[in-house]
Amino acid sequence: MLKTLTNNWTATLAESPQGWWAPGWRWFFQNFGVNENAKLTDQLYMEIFWISVGWFVFLMAIMLICVVKYRRRPGVPAPYSPSHNTVLELVWTIIPCFFLFYIFLQGFHVYVDKLVAPGDSLQMTLTAKKWDWTITYPNGAASPERTLIGADSTQFGGENGSPGSRPIPIFYMPGDVPIHFNMISQDVMHSFWVPDFRVKFDVFPNRYTTYWFQAKLQGAETNTLRDSTGKDVVTAQGEKVPYIDHFIFCAEYCGDQHSEMLGIIRVVPMAYYLAKTEEWNIEGKTPAEIGKLVYQSQGCSACHTLDGSKGAAPTWKDLYMSQQPTNAGSVVADDNYIRESIYTPQAKIVDGYPSNMPVYTTAQIDERRLQGLFAFMRSISKYAPAEAAPTTAAPATPETEKK
Amino acid sequence: MTTLDNSRAHDFGGHGHHEGSYLTPKGGFFTTVWDWATTVDHKKIGVMYLVAVLFMFFLGGLAALAVRTELLDPVRTVMVQAVDAQGKPLLDADGKPVMKTEIVGQTLARWIPPKGGEITSIDYGNQLYNRAFTLHGAIMVFMVIIPSIPASLGNFFIPLMLGAKDVAFPRLNLLSWYIYVTGSIFAVSSILLGGVDTGWTFYTPYSTTTDAEHANVVLMVLGAFILGFSSILTGLNFVVTVHKLRAPGMGWFDMPLFIWAMYSTSIIQVLATPVIGITLLLLVFERMFKIGIFDPSLGGDPVLYQHFFWFYSHPVVYVMILPAFGVISEIIPVHSHKKIFGYRAVAFASLGVALVSFLVWGHHMFASSGELGATVFSALTFLVAIPTAVKVFNWIATLYKGSIALTTPMLYALMFLFLFSIGGLTGLPLGALATDLHLHDSYFVVAHFHYVMMGGTIITFVAGLHHWWPKMFGKMYNQFWANVGAWTVFVGFNLTFFTQFFLGTQGMPRRYASYVSEYQTLHIWSTVGSYVLLLGFLIHLFVFIHSLVAGRKAPANPWGGLTLEWEAESPPIEHNFAHEPIVTHGPYDYETTVPPHWSAKDYPLPHLPANAH
């Protein structure tokens, strides 16, 4: 399944680049016109490219002509020629300065557009940790949806996909409106990069950085949403949902699963975005449902499995109220122990696992969500006291949920 | 300084023409080994550096091939044959083997059992990859590229080109070699003990919190710290040598441009290396004693580390490339028998680059710094482009009306102009803020710095080695096969790294053990290119071995060079020159001077116009 250089693998070519710089654009980029800043970046890149090609061909041509024309002939000395010419040397010092100044100015101009978000942007919070992203929507909800990289239910699926071993999060974002992230890391440095938006910015553990984008949906070439069984997703009004996926890559080396720290920005119509975030809102849900949403949206699922298989951290199946061997002796995994493991994870490490658990704050997982986690873990543990089991054996699964 | 003057007055001359080559063994095997191990002869130390650097280049190259091979395939999971508890293959009803998916780490764990035996998760495959690229980066930067030209060719040829008997501080020179070996042993033992996964940049807080074995990270960082001292001492030695040991008649502007480049390099080494020394030591303290300089959970600032690190590591980029400029400035005039165009411009461009190099470190942090800092650093970065471009123009102008021989060193010099121009021009979209926010930490950066570091420095190192090989070892090599090697390296290099520009613009991040499969085609081309590159270097290795064993004896001045090293014998005698050379012509006066050891019949001088100076 080899892909050609020009394979349009994200299939979001909304429009074609226009201008003297446009030829050859296809060699370097996969899509155009995701937003205004991406267009300007491509234009600047291609301008620099053609300026460079001009200089390069000019210099190499002179070099090759000299090598051929002035090749050594036995017994023939190199003819005299001046080895210094002030005017020539000044000219070739000054002319590149104009090119460099132009490139600097253009770079600065688009950079400012990339950094300064419009005042009416939707405000969201992005947290990064080894090795997962979480985005908190304005209503406090977070996306619990995940997919395997290359799964058929994403735009990158089917022929184009390679199966991943670990699910990556999908973040629904409304199209055609500016969105602004406040970004913070829970452990080491990460870097939030959406190649389609042509912007990345580092995420630090000790100060906030920001990121903004606006993704085009109207007038773009789109697919329509399907669930994991391949059936069309329809809204309450019976309409199909157009969407475009953009990959998120972590671009600052952060350890073992750096290359698995992916995500998908899924651009959908505003109405669908509002419906999804409302669905994930914890208001009106049972504690176990809240717990499951937290498990899916806060990245717990990256390391803790639910089916008893061994991940990078202990499985949650039959964990609640079980005996766990730790470096501080055997403990019972009760509410207090679980609470401690979330807020001060280094306190006790279960034998056989690295101390990889990131620190959560009470702002990220508040008391209500924490109680939800207890309820959720209780529902999947055989050690849980019978009377504490919820009346509905398993929490209700949201309609669009995937595995 | 009197001792230096005395040594010049007494040691030249007297026992001149009876003295043997510096390579002549001093007696039996052990006597000879002891003689080399305790030598203060800059030529022997240069050769010892050469051997050490080439060995490390081999290790770093192996790591690179491991990295490239891993990237042949994007998959995170592989299909394997299922086995039962006894290890026998499971067969289905039709007698066909049953296949199952497993994580790459599990497959690798069967071949290379992990320490502790527990981890067979996805982490394990990634851990091996992360260690391989860290080793490749750390070895190639700290143990190969930085010492390559200065410590081996510089050590050997700076005194010869200055007409001196040795460097200013010969014992210090030997000490630097032992420090280099000690630092390398630290780094290699860190590899043998399991390796580190921090990346060669050791960014905090990852490097202070990684679960790679504590001792390994400390060992590797200390290794780099120790290597810094070798660098500082060598730089100091060269600065003093250039100031004090020039032959009579050699003014500053009569020096070969290689000396100018090495002088600029040495200044950067002396000024910038202490900063990395302090930074790495702080990192070790942070890792061992949890002080809280860089670790945010203790109140430190991780970006501070980046500032410290790049304040050294950016100037060091010029420590790597300036010596290459120097070598090219020698090879092009010698092999085209033409005076270098704009001598002073080339000399001052070296100093200009050295100066500006201290002011551009922030361009490694456009994606992490504030707007004002990024803008200032972007502007300063474009400033570096000017002296660099001037040099390229001067080299190409030197070819005009020359007498160009396509010898192996000249072929490599022309390839350098090709590769370095690509490397330099692809720096433009990285210096421009808007495009850098996209390209930073992508394969575009990987391709760019390989074009500059490898296409610039390593290619030039090999060029210089071919240029001076007859002088160093007194043997010629097979030009035809050396040229075949050069073309193979050229093709392999471009195949490996040109593809990576496209990977970068399309969004492939650096340091990824696995990737989305859309990038696979380009990765395959790149990996094939790396194998071609290996083939090219192997050809060179055989050409050199053949030369040492069966090469014909080299004349004292095979290419017709005018700088002083060509006046010496090939290989030079122990004290370099039988008589102290007196400089009577400029280093590149090809229009007025018959090269030493050449006759006027072999080298007819051109007719000079009346207004020529």
Side-chain angles (χ1 to χ4, degrees):
Chain A
M1 271 193 293
L2 301 188
K3 306 298 172 305
T4 63
L5 190 62
T6 53
N7 186 30
N8 179 22
W9 56 286
T10 51
T12 55
L13 188 68
E15 50 188 292
S16 299
Q18 304 286 332
W20 65 267
W21 47 268
W25 170 89
R26 248 285 164 242
W27 305 332
F28 294 102
F29 300 104
Q30 298 291 355
N31 53 32
F32 185 73
V34 171
N35 58 43
E36 208 49 40
N37 289 337
K39 278 192 228 176
L40 290 171
T41 307
D42 290 6
Q43 175 175 351
L44 176 59
Y45 178 86
M46 292 310 296
E47 284 178 6
I48 298 173
F49 173 73
W50 284 116
I51 290 172
S52 304
V53 166
W55 278 97
F56 182 74
V57 169
F58 176 66
L59 291 173
M60 289 305 109
I62 294 179
M63 183 179 97
L64 288 178
I65 289 170
C66 286
V67 168
V68 173
K69 192 168 175 195
Y70 304 115
R71 64 186 177 276
R72 182 163 298 174
R73 294 175 179 85
V76 181
Y80 171 81
S81 65
S83 62
H84 174 61
N85 183 325
T86 310
V87 176
L88 180 65
E89 288 176 59
L90 278 179
V91 166
W92 75 32
T93 309
I94 291 165
I95 288 181
C97 293
F98 289 109
F99 285 96
L100 295 174
F101 191 63
Y102 171 77
I103 295 170
F104 164 72
L105 274 188
Q106 285 298 103
F108 174 69
H109 166 73
V110 183
Y111 171 76
V112 171
D113 289 349
K114 280 182 170 181
L115 251 57
V116 182
D120 58 348
S121 309
L122 271 176
Q123 303 288 329
M124 302 182 188
T125 310
L126 180 145
T127 45
K129 61 172 169 291
K130 290 194 270 186
W131 292 277
D132 206 20
W133 308 98
T134 304
I135 291 174
T136 310
Y137 294 111
N139 69 349
S143 169
E145 274 198 27
R146 286 178 175 271
T147 177
L148 289 173
I149 298 165
D152 283 351
S153 53
T154 73
Q155 203 177 295
F156 315 115
E159 278 292 292
N160 283 340
S162 71
S165 58
R166 194 164 78 69
I168 58 170
I170 302 176
F171 304 112
Y172 285 76
M173 293 289 153
D176 305 306
V177 295
I179 294 160
H180 180 262
F181 293 152
N182 230 2
M183 306 192 293
I184 193 82
S185 165
Q186 284 172 257
D187 39 45
V188 300
M189 280 189 286
H190 303 278
S191 187
F192 183 79
W193 184 22
V194 181
D196 288 351
F197 301 157
R198 312 280 191 263
V199 186
K200 69 171 65 66
F201 216 86
D202 289 359
V203 185
F204 296 113
N206 61 331
R207 65 186 168 90
Y208 292 100
T209 48
T210 62
Y211 191 100
W212 89 271
F213 65 93
Q214 176 170 341
K216 186 170 180 151
L217 187 66
Q218 274 175 357
E221 219 176 85
T222 54
N223 298 6
T224 51
L225 217 50
R226 294 177 196 205
D227 63 16
S228 54
T229 60
K231 278 195 303 209
D232 283 326
V233 173
V234 288
T235 63
Q237 287 74 39
E239 291 162 344
K240 291 183 184 178
V241 181
Y243 79 105
I244 298 176
D245 282 350
H246 304 287
F247 265 125
I248 300 167
F249 293 140
C250 177
E252 184 71 67
Y253 176 65
C254 57
D256 294 344
Q257 293 184 29
H258 170 55
S259 59
E260 317 290 320
M261 191 169 166
L262 271 52
I264 288 174
I265 294 264
R266 176 164 289 175
V267 182
V268 291
M270 180 59 109
Y272 191 73
Y273 155 80
L274 288 173
K276 290 300 267 192
T277 50
E278 199 42 50
E279 181 187 321
W280 301 326
N281 197 336
I282 64 168
E283 296 305 325
K285 297 212 164 47
T286 68
E289 285 169 349
I290 294 174
K292 183 156 193 189
L293 276 176
V294 173
Y295 168 79
Q296 292 161 327
S297 60
Q298 292 295 329
C300 315
S301 59
C303 301
H304 301 276
T305 66
L306 296 183
D307 58 2
S309 61
K310 187 176 159 109
T315 179
W316 282 9
K317 182 177 165 61
D318 300 332
L319 175 74
Y320 189 74
M321 293 307 284
S322 66
Q323 285 284 337
Q324 291 289 326
T326 73
N327 57 354
S330 184
V331 295
V332 175
D334 59 5
D335 291 0
N336 277 320
Y337 168 75
I338 293 166
R339 184 179 197 281
E340 180 188 64
S341 299
I342 290 171
Y343 296 139
T344 48
Q346 310 301 323
K348 299 187 181 76
I349 310 292
V350 177
D351 292 351
Y353 291 95
S355 70
N356 256 349
M357 171 86 182
V359 177
Y360 286 84
T361 63
T362 49
Q364 289 163 311
I365 298 182
D366 58 12
E367 194 54 38
R368 191 168 167 198
R369 288 178 170 82
L370 189 64
Q371 293 296 334
L373 279 177
F374 297 156
F376 175 58
M377 292 169 86
R378 192 154 51 214
S379 72
I380 53 171
S381 173
K382 65 182 178 193
Y383 301 110
E387 66 274 15
T391 45
T392 51
T397 309
E399 179 202 340
T400 52
E401 235 264 295
K402 299 187 181 51
K403 0 192 149 177
Chain B
M1 286 306 118
T2 42
T3 48
L4 293 181
D5 293 342
N6 284 342
S7 71
R8 293 167 72 99
H10 291 296
D11 286 339
F12 280 111
H15 41 297
H17 55 276
H18 296 300
E19 215 177 305
S21 136
Y22 81 102
L23 288 170
T24 315
K26 288 283 178 295
F29 178 75
F30 290 105
T31 325
T32 309
V33 169
W34 180 250
D35 172 54
W36 278 76
T38 56
T39 185
V40 290
D41 182 350
H42 69 100
K43 298 184 289 301
K44 287 181 180 167
I45 294 171
V47 171
M48 294 199 300
Y49 261 118
L50 182 65
V51 172
V53 165
L54 289 178
F55 177 72
M56 296 315 286
F57 181 66
F58 173 72
L59 279 190
L62 280 188
L65 288 170
V67 164
R68 284 298 345 151
T69 305
E70 200 274 351
L71 290 170
L72 270 175
D73 205 302
V75 294
R76 296 154 165 80
T77 52
V78 285
M79 294 294 287
V80 294
Q81 213 171 331
V83 292
D84 62 14
Q86 281 77 46
K88 279 192 298 205
L90 280 176
L91 302 177
D92 65 8
D94 304 332
K96 289 195 194 118
V98 178
M99 302 301 282
K100 62 163 188 169
T101 353
E102 79 175 15
I103 298 161
V104 175
Q106 293 172 316
T107 318
L108 279 170
R110 280 204 298 274
W111 299 337
I112 316 167
K115 270 179 143 182
E118 272 292 300
I119 313 166
T120 49
S121 68
I122 187 165
D123 290 7
Y124 185 58
N126 291 2
Q127 280 174 6
L128 288 182
Y129 176 83
N130 294 342
R131 278 160 177 73
F133 81 69
T134 301
L135 298 179
H136 169 65
I139 288 181
M140 286 301 192
V141 170
F142 294 114
M143 281 153 258
V144 178
I145 300 183
I146 292 177
S148 62
I149 297 177
S152 64
L153 299 178
N155 242 319
F156 200 105
F157 287 102
I158 286 177
L160 277 165
M161 285 175 135
L162 291 173
K165 184 175 74 79
D166 207 321
V167 292
F169 306 115
R171 286 193 183 83
L172 201 61
N173 203 12
L174 183 65
L175 179 66
S176 337
W177 187 78
Y178 277 107
I179 293 175
Y180 170 82
V181 171
T182 311
S184 300
I185 288 173
F186 267 70
V188 171
S189 51
S190 152
I191 301 168
L192 294 177
L193 291 171
V196 289
D197 64 342
T198 57
W200 75 274
T201 48
F202 309 119
Y203 267 18
T204 55
Y206 185 73
S207 59
T208 53
T209 55
T210 166
D211 52 339
E213 301 226 351
H214 206 67
N216 293 352
V217 178
V218 172
L219 269 178
M220 185 57 113
V221 173
L222 278 179
F225 174 75
I226 292 167
L227 288 164
F229 281 95
S230 168
S231 206
I232 294 171
L233 295 180
T234 304
L236 190 71
N237 215 339
F238 289 171
V239 168
V240 179
T241 306
V242 170
H243 271 272
K244 302 303 293 182
L245 296 185
R246 299 193 306 277
M250 187 186 280
W252 280 89
F253 292 105
D254 302 318
M255 294 195 310
L257 286 165
F258 180 66
I259 304 287
W260 270 106
M262 289 307 309
Y263 181 70
S264 308
T265 306
S266 303
I267 288 175
I268 301 179
Q269 281 182 316
V270 172
L271 291 181
T273 317
V275 178
I276 192 71
I278 295 164
T279 310
L280 292 176
L281 215 52
L282 288 177
L283 190 62
V284 171
F285 285 155
E286 179 87 354
R287 173 114 198 171
M288 293 173 74
F289 309 121
K290 297 270 176 226
I291 294 175
I293 309 158
F294 306 125
D295 186 350
S297 65
L298 300 168
D301 183 5
V303 183
L304 179 68
Y305 175 83
Q306 295 184 21
H307 280 282
F308 282 171
F309 184 82
W310 289 114
F311 185 80
Y312 160 78
S313 292
H314 197 79
V316 153
V317 169
Y318 299 97
V319 165
M320 303 179 206
I321 198 67
L322 276 173
F325 291 171
V327 171
I328 294 299
S329 303
E330 291 307 313
I331 292 178
I332 287 183
V334 171
H335 295 266
S336 39
H337 284 171
K338 192 77 195 167
K339 187 168 187 169
I340 187 114
F341 191 88
Y343 173 94
R344 283 184 188 233
V346 177
F348 283 123
S350 282
L351 289 179
V353 167
L355 180 74
V356 183
S357 73
F358 281 96
L359 307 174
V360 297
W361 80 90
H363 72 208
H364 296 268
M365 289 174 274
F366 286 163
S368 48
S369 55
E371 298 85 347
L372 180 66
T375 308
V376 170
F377 279 120
S378 171
L380 287 166
T381 298
F382 283 109
L383 217 55
V384 178
I386 297 164
T388 318
V390 165
K391 279 174 171 260
V392 174
F393 299 151
N394 278 301
W395 291 322
I396 291 180
T398 305
L399 299 173
Y400 178 68
K401 287 197 176 178
S403 167
I404 299 165
L406 280 181
T407 55
T408 310
M410 188 62 177
L411 192 59
Y412 261 121
L414 299 174
M415 285 170 183
F416 162 86
L417 289 176
F418 183 94
L419 300 174
F420 183 75
S421 296
I422 293 179
L425 289 167
T426 52
L428 297 176
L430 294 172
L433 290 167
T435 37
D436 182 69
L437 283 191
H438 178 53
L439 300 172
H440 177 72
D441 269 340
S442 76
Y443 263 66
F444 192 90
V445 176
V446 176
H448 162 72
F449 71 69
H450 278 92
Y451 264 88
V452 178
M453 299 287 85
M454 189 173 179
T457 310
I458 295 291
I459 290 291
T460 313
F461 177 52
V462 180
L465 207 51
H466 282 92
H467 181 61
W468 282 308
W469 181 270
K471 179 62 62 188
M472 293 174 89
F473 299 104
K475 295 284 181 70
M476 295 306 284
Y477 48 85
N478 186 314
Q479 284 259 352
F480 173 78
W481 282 105
N483 283 356
V484 169
W487 280 110
T488 314
V489 166
F490 183 74
V491 170
F493 179 89
N494 282 300
L495 199 53
T496 309
F497 296 110
F498 205 75
T499 43
Q500 296 183 0
F501 287 122
F502 301 107
L503 279 172
T505 53
Q506 291 178 16
M508 171 79 203
R510 281 173 83 170
R511 297 174 168 179
Y512 262 31
S514 52
Y515 51 88
V516 295
S517 59
E518 284 76 5
Y519 299 119
Q520 191 183 8
T521 312
L522 289 166
H523 271 301
I524 289 175
W525 281 113
S526 182
T527 302
V528 169
S530 69
Y531 297 155
V532 177
L533 206 44
L534 170 71
L535 177 69
F537 283 120
L538 286 179
I539 294 175
H540 282 312
L541 181 68
F542 287 121
V543 168
F544 280 145
I545 289 173
H546 177 264
S547 160
L548 288 179
V549 175
R552 76 184 158 82
K553 186 173 167 20
N557 192 1
W559 321 119
L562 283 182
T563 39
L564 291 179
E565 79 271 27
W566 302 112
E567 291 190 9
E569 296 299 314
S570 294
I573 57 172
E574 194 148 344
H575 290 101
N576 293 351
F577 301 100
H579 302 282
E580 181 169 32
I582 293 171
V583 177
T584 53
H585 55 78
Y588 309 109
D589 284 344
Y590 286 97
E591 275 131 13
T592 52
T593 319
V594 176
H597 305 285
W598 285 42
S599 69
K601 190 167 145 285
D602 297 332
Y603 192 87
L605 290 172
H607 178 69
L608 285 191
N611 60 348
H613 39 275

